[in-house]
Amino acid sequence: MLDNTPNYVNGIRVAMHNLGCKVNSYEMDVMAIKLKEAGCIIVPFTDEADVYIINTCTVTNIADRKSRQMLHRAKKENPEATVVAVGCYVETGMDGVKKDECIDLAVGNNKKSEIVEILNNFFEAKGRKADLDKTLGGNSVIDINNTHEYESMLLSEMPGHTRAYIKIQDGCNQFCSYCVIPYARGRVRSRDMKDILAEIKGLIQKGCKEVVLTGIHISSYGVDKDGPSLIDLVENIGDLAGIERIRLGSLEPRIITPENARRLAAVEKLCPHFHLSLQSGCDDVLKRMNRHYTAEEFAQGVKLLREAFDRPAITTDVIVGFPGETEDEFEQCRKFVEDIDFYEMHVFKYSPRKGTVAAGMKEQLTDREKTARSDVLIHMTRRQSEEYRNLFIGEKVGILWEDAEEIKGKNYMIGHTDRYVRVAVAEDDLRYKEAVSGEITYDVPKRFINSETLLL
């Protein structure tokens, strides 16, 4: 915003709510910082505000519905407030957005960094009683599918205690048959490495010890610019003083080659925790999903990681009940994931997404069939997850402490190991004060507060 531009947002109360992925969270954090710098007062979403900003998600029909519900809830909280729909739902559902009387302003992807300017323009035009449409004449929503520009954003404050998510790219070129995200986020656009490194250096000064590299399809980082690659970026971050851990977001299985596994293992700060997106362990289902690998290629990637790292935590996503999935195909998938033996599986029941190829496929399964198959894999992953965590009982493990949390009426300090095992130390434990001060090593006993947290 130019110095001589009227600042209509100074002093207004802004409530913000985020839906969806870690990329959305990062972008919401940046928007909040920009609004505070412009003089806005950020208040909880449950408080009455002058402006409500909902960073929307559109990955499923349910996500669309949740986005609409939050937008309507905001208008109900304060009918006089300005309700702003931001992000993916705007990109894929603009016709509905324009018809929705609860929405006063729409801001698309690649425009979030301009939130202050967009709000100022909106309030200035409203003051002139202009005939506003939901897109401000098109200057707050662009054609996301016809841009090659990476939206410049900078996280200048730590959103958490020790860990920060760093957005390194946007967009996706994969076009899986069940997914609408390429239409909501556009094609692959990579962030300049010098900008990423500068952001991390700034966050180090604010206490950042761990960075998580995130994006819509981070394995594609650099492909639109002919390099540097994701591996190059990881190596450069590893050279920064002050960063203790580097963690990777979801990876395309094909990026794990012998050379890449070797290079990643040479980065001492890289956490041995890898999320490889599987979706199905059956080749026929993978073809219908338009996934660009086979189950055997996926298994080979896991094998390379386990050869390069000591007991790496391998996690994944699996969709059950994809259109046409037979009992035999599900059994192939079940046996495959059992043999791989993941640390954790995120199991999803297939949900048709309007506008995708898969939504029009024949042989849609019933909810009962999807639930039965989901239950099988959820039971399996709970067992496998506990077995993995038990591998480290009696060993010394490094823990990066993040924040205090109340669980079942008792206060704990919560942290994670480098393999993303969640651990806690109780407030009445003599080691609690020591835990608050930083990273310490402990013996890990076989005790759990709940299904996902080890008690030290």
Side-chain angles (χ1 to χ4, degrees):
M1 186 171 63
L2 298 176
D3 292 340
N4 62 352
T5 302
N7 187 7
Y8 296 95
V9 303
N10 185 38
I12 67 171
R13 294 164 62 85
V14 178
M16 309 180 76
H17 184 78
N18 188 68
L19 295 163
C21 63
K22 298 300 183 184
V23 174
N24 259 13
S25 296
Y26 171 92
E27 293 166 346
M28 180 66 97
D29 289 337
V30 173
M31 285 191 287
I33 291 168
K34 286 180 174 289
L35 290 164
K36 285 190 288 185
E37 290 174 347
C40 296
I41 303 166
I42 307 299
V43 300
F45 198 79
T46 51
D47 289 5
E48 186 173 294
D50 304 302
V51 175
Y52 293 86
I53 298 175
I54 294 84
N55 200 18
T56 63
C57 178
T58 192
V59 68
T60 64
N61 291 340
I62 294 172
D64 272 358
R65 185 169 70 245
K66 288 182 178 179
S67 295
R68 289 191 293 270
Q69 288 172 343
M70 292 307 300
L71 291 160
H72 291 196
R73 174 181 163 187
K75 183 60 77 174
K76 185 176 180 181
E77 288 285 339
N78 182 6
E80 301 303 315
T82 298
V83 175
V84 187
V86 180
C88 293
Y89 174 60
V90 172
E91 297 290 349
T92 61
M94 181 52 79
D95 288 344
V97 168
K98 287 185 176 181
K99 295 175 183 176
D100 194 330
E101 294 182 356
C102 289
I103 302 172
D104 299 298
L105 177 60
V107 179
N109 289 323
N110 254 44
K111 284 289 185 177
K112 295 178 182 180
S113 63
E114 300 173 28
I115 187 66
V116 172
E117 291 87 343
I118 289 169
L119 282 173
N120 269 311
N121 289 339
F122 177 82
F123 290 127
E124 181 181 32
K126 197 172 184 179
R128 297 196 306 267
K129 300 185 186 303
D131 181 21
L132 297 171
D133 69 10
K134 295 295 193 298
T135 67
L136 291 175
N139 68 351
S140 64
V141 180
I142 67 170
D143 183 356
I144 198 67
N145 288 287
N146 283 292
T147 183
H148 301 289
E149 179 184 356
Y150 178 86
E151 181 182 17
S152 178
M153 303 185 92
L154 178 69
L155 190 63
S156 58
E157 296 180 9
M158 278 292 293
H161 188 62
T162 55
R163 179 189 298 121
Y165 287 88
I166 305 296
K167 182 183 172 185
I168 66 169
Q169 65 84 226
D170 209 334
C172 181
N173 298 344
Q174 300 301 298
F175 291 94
C176 298
S177 64
Y178 54 82
C179 185
V180 76
I181 293 306
Y183 304 101
R185 284 283 179 172
R187 303 297 82 74
V188 168
R189 305 179 302 285
S190 301
R191 186 179 182 185
D192 286 343
M193 185 163 68
K194 61 179 177 56
D195 291 340
I196 298 171
L197 298 177
E199 180 176 57
I200 295 173
K201 288 176 183 177
L203 293 175
I204 289 171
Q205 302 304 312
K206 303 292 178 67
C208 181
K209 295 182 180 180
E210 177 180 320
V211 291
V212 185
L213 305 188
T214 190
I216 301 302
H217 193 260
I218 66 171
S219 297
S220 295
Y221 178 78
V223 299
D224 55 319
K225 296 184 176 182
D226 196 23
S229 69
L230 176 64
I231 313 302
D232 296 325
L233 175 62
V234 171
E235 290 172 338
N236 276 268
I237 297 173
D239 291 334
L240 296 180
I243 283 296
E244 297 177 13
R245 291 181 178 177
I246 305 166
R247 203 178 295 276
L248 297 174
S250 182
L251 296 174
E252 169 77 23
R254 292 174 300 173
I255 199 174
I256 307 301
T257 64
E259 174 65 9
N260 285 348
R262 181 193 64 77
R263 289 175 63 185
L264 288 172
V267 180
E268 293 183 1
K269 298 176 182 179
L270 182 67
C271 294
H273 168 217
F274 302 95
H275 187 87
L276 302 183
S277 186
L278 174 62
Q279 307 307 354
S280 177
C282 170
D283 286 344
D284 288 338
V285 176
L286 288 172
K287 288 178 182 178
R288 294 201 297 276
M289 290 179 167
N290 197 34
R291 302 291 288 180
H292 306 288
Y293 52 83
T294 65
E296 177 55 35
E297 288 170 334
F298 185 99
Q300 181 61 25
V302 173
K303 181 174 182 290
L304 289 170
L305 288 173
R306 286 176 170 160
E307 289 173 349
F309 294 87
D310 174 30
R311 293 169 295 176
I314 309 292
T315 62
T316 198
D317 301 315
V318 177
I319 297 173
V320 298
F322 192 74
E325 183 185 64
T326 64
E327 288 284 357
D328 180 63
E329 288 174 337
F330 173 70
E331 175 58 23
Q332 290 179 48
C333 178
R334 187 208 63 77
K335 186 177 187 310
F336 181 82
V337 297
E338 183 174 45
D339 291 343
I340 292 290
D341 195 13
F342 293 100
Y343 163 40
E344 285 183 336
M345 284 188 292
H346 301 151
V347 182
F348 301 93
K349 292 182 284 188
Y350 170 73
S351 174
R353 176 58 174 86
K354 184 179 178 181
T356 62
V357 172
M361 289 180 176
K362 298 179 180 179
E363 300 179 5
Q364 299 282 337
L365 275 71
T366 66
D367 288 339
R368 183 176 181 178
E369 289 172 310
K370 295 174 191 176
T371 298
R373 295 176 186 185
S374 173
D375 289 346
V376 169
L377 296 191
I378 288 173
H379 178 76
M380 179 192 298
T381 193
R382 286 175 180 165
R383 172 179 55 80
Q384 291 180 332
S385 181
E386 181 174 357
E387 290 172 353
Y388 178 81
R389 286 178 292 186
N390 288 347
L391 291 176
F392 303 94
I393 292 173
E395 298 185 14
K396 291 286 186 178
V397 294
I399 300 151
L400 192 58
W401 298 104
E402 294 147 27
D403 213 345
E405 184 176 325
E406 182 179 310
I407 303 176
K408 297 181 179 179
K410 191 170 183 178
N411 292 326
Y412 296 89
M413 179 58 65
I414 303 295
H416 285 86
T417 72
D418 58 355
R419 291 168 174 81
Y420 214 61
V421 174
R422 193 171 189 264
V423 295
V425 60
E427 185 179 40
D428 57 5
D429 191 307
L430 294 177
R431 300 168 299 174
Y432 182 85
K433 289 184 179 179
E434 187 181 6
V436 173
S437 67
E439 185 182 63
I440 317 164
T441 57
Y442 291 105
D443 284 311
V444 179
K446 188 177 181 179
R447 290 183 290 168
F448 292 89
I449 304 173
N450 53 34
S451 62
E452 61 178 17
T453 309
L454 277 169
L455 175 64
L456 297 173

